[in-house]
Amino acid sequence: MARTTLESWMKAQSIPAPLARIFAMTADCGIEISVALRVATASGQNGKAGSVNVQGEEQKALDIVANDIFLRRGAASGVLSAMVSEELEDIWPVEAAGPDARYALVFDPLDGSSNLEVNGAVGSIFSVLDIGKAAGVTKEDVLQTGTQQVAAGYILYGPATVLVLTTGESVTMFGLDEVAAEFVLVEDGVQIPVEANEFAINMSRYHQWYAPTRGFIEDCLSGKDGPLGKPYNMRWCAAMVADLHRILCRGGVFLYPEDEGTKARGGRLRLMYEANPMSLIVEAAGGAASTGTTRVLSIEPSDLHQRVGIIIGSRAEVETACQYYADRARPYP
Ligand code: F6P
Ligand code: MN
């Protein structure tokens, strides 16, 4: 089979030049972060700020290393006028952005970073917004609904490094050829199985869940003879990218719904950096994403770091889970 690189795939798909520049830049970030993670693990670094490397030098936390890689490469891309990171309080304007700069990259540089302590999978997530201007980007420019995203993607740093991209219509998966230091096409037109029998949730929050979440998970646990009529398996990676990559490959449903413990903040995961880009990818692969009552991509954001409850994955599984929200008495969002 002929080998298709990210670059040749973008040419064949006629990806517009600025977007191709952003995809190539995020791919380079993925390669650099991948190496940084492997080197850190080999030298006994676990990603904690203040830890000391083999040369006795104090280390930056790996999520800051990853953030710096995105900022440096994004600023040099020539097409971004702003970068918006989960690691930064405010918008990071790209100084002296060129005349073609009209996009913002909204990103979570290192998702699931608690896994670094145990050499578990982590990821990067990003969303591309068309801001339409090269300077003076404001919060109002960036607070767009998920449906307005021009593109989104993630990089999973697992046994292999994988890049998944969407422009909102279809989903394409690439794998990192570490020898050639380039991403190679694995699958075009990725589709999530409509139905599955696997769920992903942090079960330790059971006592804090709202009634609809309890109802759904209890019915999943009751197996073949229960109301859902099939046995469910459970997986939890503690890194959204890793859990959703599994769901993209073989189906299932991921839940981090708002609960009693997260209601003051509106949920756990971040709308702009995590929920929106992942929802664009999952919907483009035929899946669905909801808060339980509202389509994630239709939420009007009011804050850069806004959090949200999310139920995302195989379409029929998400619909089934949401039915519990429709059927049960409130209070819940
Ligand atoms: O970014 C937040 C995050 O690390 C997600 O990647 C992951 O799904 C979740 O938090 C893990 O949450 P918990 O600590 O409850 O397992
Ligand atoms: Mn994250």
Side-chain angles (χ1 to χ4, degrees):
M1 197 177 75
R3 176 185 160 97
T4 305
T5 62
L6 170 63
E7 205 185 329
S8 53
W9 175 83
M10 291 196 292
K11 274 199 193 115
Q13 299 293 315
S14 305
I15 300 289
L19 199 51
R21 201 90 74 78
I22 294 171
F23 283 165
M25 182 276 290
T26 54
D28 288 341
C29 290
I31 295 173
E32 194 176 341
I33 293 168
S34 201
V35 171
L37 294 172
R38 303 227 192 287
V39 170
T41 302
S43 63
Q45 303 302 309
N46 63 9
K48 278 189 185 149
S51 55
V52 172
N53 72 6
V54 280
Q55 281 89 34
E57 299 157 341
E58 192 158 294
Q59 294 297 287
K60 276 200 253 178
L62 284 167
D63 31 21
I64 302 304
V65 171
N67 190 51
D68 290 349
I69 290 171
F70 268 97
L71 295 181
R72 172 168 44 79
R73 290 187 177 277
S77 71
V79 291
L80 296 177
S81 48
M83 313 263 307
V84 189
S85 168
E86 196 193 287
E87 292 294 331
L88 302 175
E89 191 61 32
D90 285 318
I91 296 170
W92 192 82
V94 176
E95 301 295 342
D100 293 341
R102 56 176 293 153
Y103 297 93
L105 191 80
V106 181
F107 62 102
D108 178 357
L110 209 53
D111 174 65
S113 52
S114 72
N115 277 355
L116 290 169
E117 291 174 31
V118 295
N119 193 24
V122 290
S124 300
I125 314 173
F126 64 90
S127 160
V128 181
L129 301 176
D130 186 358
I131 302 296
K133 57 182 173 188
V137 177
T138 65
K139 266 188 196 162
E140 289 62 45
D141 296 324
V142 173
L143 293 175
Q144 302 185 2
T145 59
T147 48
Q148 291 175 277
Q149 295 172 97
V150 175
Y154 67 75
I155 302 150
L156 169 62
Y157 312 102
T161 296
V162 171
L163 168 70
V164 170
L165 297 174
T166 186
T167 55
E169 267 146 39
S170 64
V171 175
T172 310
M173 192 185 294
F174 301 87
L176 178 60
D177 174 340
E178 294 201 355
V179 177
E182 62 187 8
F183 281 98
V184 179
L185 181 66
V186 173
E187 193 182 343
D188 228 343
V190 177
Q191 285 286 309
I192 299 182
V194 175
E195 262 191 70
N197 53 356
E198 206 162 74
F199 68 87
I201 195 165
N202 183 341
M203 288 290 294
S204 70
R205 305 189 65 85
Y206 178 89
H207 60 290
Q208 304 186 78
W209 289 343
Y210 295 144
T213 309
R214 280 194 192 195
F216 174 61
I217 298 296
E218 277 164 5
D219 287 352
C220 288
L221 294 175
S222 64
K224 191 162 66 47
D225 301 324
L228 299 176
K230 56 183 179 180
Y232 275 80
N233 189 22
M234 193 202 86
R235 288 285 182 268
W236 185 248
C237 297
M240 188 194 201
V241 173
D243 275 313
L244 282 184
H245 186 70
R246 182 192 60 254
I247 289 171
L248 200 67
C249 293
R250 69 178 190 206
V253 57
F254 170 98
L255 305 95
Y256 217 125
E258 187 189 306
D259 61 22
E260 291 297 339
T262 60
K263 79 172 167 200
R265 292 177 293 164
R268 164 80 150 94
L269 300 181
R270 317 261 181 164
L271 176 62
M272 305 290 291
Y273 313 102
E274 294 167 323
N276 269 346
M278 286 306 196
S279 299
L280 195 75
I281 295 166
V282 164
E283 283 202 8
S290 170
T291 63
T293 53
T294 307
R295 183 187 176 206
V296 170
L297 290 178
S298 71
I299 296 172
E300 304 260 355
S302 55
D303 186 78
L304 294 178
H305 296 282
Q306 184 168 338
R307 296 173 190 256
V308 71
I310 188 167
I311 301 173
I312 178 169
S314 292
R315 201 175 57 241
E317 303 302 321
V318 172
E319 281 166 6
T320 302
C322 290
Q323 201 51 53
Y324 289 72
Y325 281 78
D327 291 347
R328 295 235 183 351
R330 290 173 188 250
Y332 55 79

